[in-house]
Amino acid sequence: MTYEQAASTIAERFSGVTVETGAPLIVSVPVDQWRAFAQFAKESLGCRFFNFLSAVDWKDGGLEVVAVVDNLDDNVSLRLKTRLAPSPAEAGHDEAPRCASLVPVFRGANWMERECYDMFGIVFEDHPDLRRILLGDDWQGHPLLKSYAVDTPHPPYR
Amino acid sequence: MAVKAPIPEVPAPVWRSFKDLQEFEALRQQRPEGDKHSATFESLTEGIHQFPGGFVVTTLADTFFNWARKSSVWPVTFGLACCAIEMMATFASRFDVERLGMVPWASPRHSDLMIVSGTVTIKMAPMLERIYAQMPDPKWAVSMGSCANSGGPFRHGYHVVKGVDRVIPVDVYVPGCPPPPESLLNGLLLLQEQIAHFRRTGQRAAPNEKVD
């Protein structure tokens, strides 16, 4: 498995997915194919090592979930991206952005997705244990969003 | 390939539902200053002080007790971040705080000084407050390093308390990022000076004027 083979296999199997060639391969996946693509990357491309998962807040452009999965046998790395709805503060409503969870595919995604929920407020559907991981249970808001103001007070300590 | 079953959900612990925390909070509401101010002791001392010639007794007793207090300050080892490395260096053989009569002790219940060395996060602040409350009175606190003094480089972070003096009363602030052991030793000597003038009035000693 080389990068070229991986890119052509992805192009055959997934039509809505765009691939930027290079190392690592940057793969933009539609939200509804997110878990199916991860399953495909694990089983067909041999990317069994789940490296990390995080998110980027592009304000009006929505939230982007980024995950890196690696094929350690063939030194192939995939950077998966998917674009979600903007955060509630940007969009002006209460609906949290939603994304399919990767925990059924990669168990290592569990804490990464909890951290992502903690910091960005992204709700991962079918996650077994979606609650805050780093901040306290009584925390208000999601601090890594661009709409979270610097020096937000937190009584009684801040 | 087989996909493993999801992990069963464990209910999240609710911090406020612990009973001893509620008791501690009630106690803190009742006596915000701790046991520093003892009405019985104060009236007794006042009686002796008003007695003809009694002031000699009270002043001598104060001086003696303060000498004893400042000669055996036991700091609780409360390391939070990189400042703790410098604190450990101060405790170790090269700088050796034991020559000042200080015994680094790993239990707040036997200690009378807390050296807050490092960044205090909002999540850590209730624990810090609780450990401070476990120390027997009279007790002192040294804030070590920029983070504990004011939040330091993380001041505008979302999770950092802007100075440990928002959580517990602080007697000596040691500047630096991190302060070298010499700075911490200077702070501890200033603290001993404060302890020598300690009066059981419920008030903190005035801050030292000359710091260099």
Side-chain angles (χ1 to χ4, degrees), chain B residues 133-179:
Chain B
Q134 285 178 353
M135 287 161 54
D137 280 308
K139 55 195 172 186
W140 289 272
V142 168
S143 159
M144 181 188 179
S146 299
C147 292
N149 289 344
S150 69
F154 313 111
R155 185 178 171 82
H156 299 293
Y158 56 88
H159 60 299
V160 174
V161 179
K162 295 179 177 184
V164 72
D165 48 5
R166 301 192 180 203
V167 186
I168 58 171
V170 173
D171 293 288
V172 173
Y173 297 86
V174 181
C177 186

Side-chain angles (χ1 to χ4, degrees), chain A residues 63 85-97 120-122 142 145 147:
Chain A
L63 286 156
S87 67
E90 300 287 347
H93 53 71
D94 291 343
E95 211 171 300
F120 293 94
I122 299 169
H142 300 281
L145 290 174
S147 54

Side-chain angles (χ1 to χ4, degrees), chain A residues 39 42-43 104 107 110 119 128-129 131 133-139 143-144 148 150-151 154 156-158, chain B residues 1 3-4 6-7 9-10 12-16 122-123 125-126 129 155-162 166-167:
Chain A
Q39 190 88 37
K42 183 179 183 181
E43 289 168 4
R107 273 188 78 180
N110 190 326
M119 295 295 169
D129 185 22
R131 57 188 163 92
I133 184 168
L134 292 173
L135 303 175
D137 294 325
D138 54 346
W139 194 279
L144 287 196
Y148 192 90
V150 173
D151 289 339
H154 186 100
Y157 299 118
R158 191 188 156 82
Chain B
M1 58 157 287
V3 176
K4 285 189 181 169
I7 306 138
E9 189 173 341
V10 181
V14 181
W15 186 243
R16 297 221 160 70
I122 290 174
K123 208 174 178 182
E129 208 174 352
R155 185 178 171 82
H156 299 293
Y158 56 88
H159 60 299
V160 174
V161 179
K162 295 179 177 184
R166 301 192 180 203
V167 186

Side-chain angles (χ1 to χ4, degrees), chain A residues 117-134:
Chain A
Y117 163 72
D118 200 355
M119 295 295 169
F120 293 94
I122 299 169
V123 174
F124 289 91
E125 286 156 354
D126 300 338
H127 190 284
D129 185 22
L130 194 66
R131 57 188 163 92
R132 289 187 183 273
I133 184 168
L134 292 173

Side-chain angles (χ1 to χ4, degrees), chain B residues 14 21 56 79 94 99 116 150 182 200 203:
Chain B
V14 181
L21 265 188
V56 178
R94 184 171 169 190
R99 69 203 155 97
V116 184
S150 69
E182 296 89 340
R200 192 175 275 275
Q203 306 282 319

